Amino acid sequence: MTWSRALKEAARSGLAVERAKLTPLIAVRGAAGVALVIGLCLWRGSPELAVSSAFGAFSSGIVTFQRSMRPRPVLALAVAGALAVSTFLGYLAASHVVAFVLLLTGWTLLAGMAWAIGPVSGLAGTQTVAIMLVTVTLPTSVPGALQHAALIFFGGLVQAALIVAFPVRPWGTQRDALADALAAEADYARRLRQDPVAPFDPAPLMDARLASTVTPRQARRRPVQLHGPRGLAERVRPVLASLADPVVGAPLDGPERDRARELLGAAATVLDAVAHAVRHARPVRLPPEAVAALEVPATGPMLHGPARRAAYRLISLLADAVELTDEPVQATRPTTEAERGHLLRPSVPKLVPVALRSVRREARWSSHVLRHALRVAAVAAAGYLLGTALPFGHGYWAPLTSVMVMRPDFAQTYSRGFARFAGTLVGVAVGGALMALTHPGASVSAALAVFCVFLMYLLMRTGFTVTSACVAAYVVFLLGIIGEGWQQTVEGRVVLTLVGGLLAMLSYALFPAWETPRLRDRLADWLTANGRYARAVLDGYGRPAERRPRQVREALLDARAARASWEESAARAEKEPVRHRGLSPGAANAAGAALATMGRVTMIGEAHLPAKDAEPSPGAAAFAAALRPALDGAARAVRDGAPLDWSGPHAAWERWNAEGGHEGVAVRAAELLLDALDDLAEALSGGSGGSGGPNGTARAAPGGGRH
């Protein structure tokens, strides 16, 4: 992609305003926290104290709106504590330019590295830099520093208290995540009726798993509806795929395919009903038609073989899902030992070593996070010095803009830069016009500032342009509380916002961290993870007595995480203005399609794993043994751009098939697995790579033969 096209796409993305689900009650609660803090400080203190305390409540409220499964009061208190520390240090150093620049550079570097922990931590770090920059406009004595830091923390404490005192839809985030996963399964079942190898995006299941990971306190209070359906949704997906697949499930045409379509449609209806019940905390309501379709017919089309087993399994799982979801929604039960083992989220103090390990993993020159931290630290220092030298006052607005728009990837940084400038123009124009026409006093300015906060919380998910406009107007009214001239506010804000945005964009152009050269590494990681998953499933056929379900499950989760990393990298690379290095866009799409197919056929094999007392399959064990060195060599070849060699697995499969295993699900799934690996080799060698598309899923040949 050329620079001109990349800039055009970034501008279009940044200026887009999206329709989003609004949460007015939560927005009112967050704005009430800001209003309460400002009102108390105006009543018992001074306008300066009101402005200072407002930043704590405002920033803590922003973080509580982010998509995080942590309890919202904990987020508010954690951010308030970090804001208080940065405020205190900023006050101490604000009177000495050199000391403040050094402090700002070091603190911003640490805040940039917080993106290694996660997006919410990265945003919280950005907020602490913003509050440190704002403190340079306020008194700088040590007692004053302690007072203002305490007020900043008080603002976050008020937000946390309001969340506890006035809960709005408790467990709403967790309910939505689980309901989205069930609804995605329902949509998958419907698409399988028309396309027996339809793609499935595992992201909703990953989000549901993240939502089900709770703190010890949450585990004692979690509603029953949030306990069982997620695990059932995980088990339903491979059964759906196995039933629909024309090679190991129902034939592509005929009465059995009609019966499979009927079951898939009924499964979609049931899953939608369970999703609705979970989302709204209500009992499940099933239409009679779906219940009748899930009954075993006495006459009419019947399924046979693996398809029959998949149908019985599907009916059983759907019945369990309805039964679990129909339990009283207010009831709770103790957490099981299995849940304690892998679904218990560590408390905030125990999270510190995990966060430090994440940061250490990114402390390498090739890391995007480290490059982002270095980039944002340099820009913050340069922007502060430049803003101070310009004759507008409020020089901190330039570095503040840079810090708020910069992200670890190109597309977000540039799109947010365009959105920030456009939103600031609108916000300061509206705010300045109101200030000029009405000349409000401190109380009216405070009320207008709170109204802008309410609008920002309400419209936060519609786009960064809208958010920036609300924030810009909020700052105009907030500074009006202490008597700042609106003309200076408007002029300086616009110019310094433009300066800060340009600095942010220029920094990425001069010191980039492109994703395109890393595509081969990401693809190799996904191939390796898929290989571990495939070997774990094949070992279950080769040595059923030694099968460990936990090993298969962990391999599946690793494969999902690797796929998510690949898709994120591919999406970033698609928007980068760099000459192509490594994989071409067509080869990347085809390779991703082949690996997605590899994961799908492995999942089908998992759905038919034999019992522990079943006869071992020497052919499956030999095929798994041949697959290990071939996959290890293929991962290296993908990274180096060398040809892939699957001759070993092909020879092992031929021997397995010749032994008479052609009737089994395992040998058919292994054949489809080889098809996917051949597609991968073709894609990386410059061929078409099958029928892969932007959704990253290839289609297996309906007849089961290699293609």
Side-chain angles (χ1 to χ4, degrees), residues 15-40:
L15 299 178
V17 177
E18 301 177 359
R19 298 184 62 180
K21 181 181 178 181
L22 304 182
T23 53
L25 292 179
I26 300 177
V28 168
R29 186 181 63 191
V34 179
L36 184 61
V37 170
I38 293 178
L40 287 175

Side-chain angles (χ1 to χ4, degrees), residues 167-483:
V168 178
R169 197 172 171 242
W171 298 94
T173 305
Q174 286 81 1
R175 286 187 177 278
D176 285 342
L178 177 55
D180 289 345
L182 292 166
E185 296 268 14
D187 176 70
Y188 181 52
R190 288 192 181 92
R191 287 185 289 111
L192 285 174
R193 298 183 69 208
Q194 307 302 324
D195 180 2
V197 291
F200 180 80
D201 182 5
L205 292 178
M206 298 172 70
D207 290 341
R209 177 177 172 78
L210 183 63
S212 68
T213 308
V214 294
T215 63
R217 183 174 181 273
Q218 285 179 307
R220 296 190 294 270
R221 303 166 63 90
R222 182 170 54 174
V224 167
Q225 280 188 324
L226 300 182
H227 281 285
R230 183 194 65 85
L232 288 169
E234 293 276 4
R235 295 194 290 275
V236 163
R237 184 205 166 190
V239 176
L240 292 172
S242 176
L243 175 63
D245 190 88
V247 177
V248 299
L252 192 58
D253 298 300
E256 289 193 60
R257 174 56 55 175
D258 295 336
R259 174 58 178 161
R261 290 195 180 101
E262 183 184 26
L263 287 174
L264 291 170
T269 302
V270 172
L271 290 168
D272 272 337
V274 173
H276 184 271
V278 169
R279 194 184 303 276
H280 300 286
R282 296 174 182 172
V284 180
R285 295 289 180 263
L286 295 177
E289 298 81 7
V291 176
L294 292 173
E295 294 179 354
V296 180
T299 60
M302 302 286 288
L303 296 172
H304 301 87
R308 183 183 182 89
R309 293 195 299 271
Y312 278 126
R313 181 64 174 154
L314 177 62
I315 294 170
S316 175
L317 289 173
L318 293 175
D320 290 344
V322 173
E323 182 180 355
L324 282 172
T325 312
D326 259 343
E327 293 189 50
V329 298
Q330 298 298 326
T332 59
R333 62 168 175 77
T335 308
T336 65
E337 289 295 332
E339 287 172 332
R340 293 193 190 101
H342 66 281
L343 293 182
L344 202 60
R345 187 189 304 277
S347 60
V348 173
K350 292 182 179 179
L351 195 62
V352 173
V354 179
L356 291 177
R357 286 195 295 271
S358 298
V359 172
R360 279 200 300 269
R361 281 197 300 268
E362 297 296 334
R364 62 185 192 280
W365 185 250
S366 60
S367 167
H368 280 37
V369 173
L370 177 61
R371 285 180 169 244
H372 166 71
L374 294 172
R375 194 163 46 237
V376 73
V379 168
Y384 175 72
L385 293 174
L386 183 58
T388 304
L390 292 174
F392 295 105
H394 303 292
Y396 65 90
W397 276 339
L400 181 61
T401 298
S402 300
V403 170
M404 296 303 292
V405 305
M406 293 179 73
R407 292 294 184 268
D409 71 282
F410 165 84
Q412 284 196 55
T413 297
Y414 275 66
S415 63
R416 290 171 68 90
F418 287 113
R420 180 81 174 192
F421 183 68
T424 298
L425 282 178
V426 174
V428 297
V430 173
L434 287 176
M435 294 289 289
L437 294 174
T438 62
H439 301 285
S443 299
V444 177
S445 295
L448 290 172
V450 171
F451 179 70
C452 290
V453 170
F454 166 73
L455 286 181
M456 195 214 69
Y457 288 157
L458 181 66
L459 305 174
M460 185 178 294
R461 293 184 174 89
T462 61
F464 194 62
T465 302
V466 177
T467 303
S468 299
C470 295
V471 172
Y474 167 69
V475 172
V476 171
F477 296 131
L478 201 63
L479 295 179
I481 297 176
I482 56 178

Side-chain angles (χ1 to χ4, degrees), residues 245 247-248 597 600-601 668-677 700-701 704:
D245 190 88
V247 177
V248 299
T597 301
R600 185 185 69 84
V601 298
R668 299 269 72 83
E671 183 181 15
L672 294 178
L673 179 66
L674 287 175
D675 291 342
L677 294 177

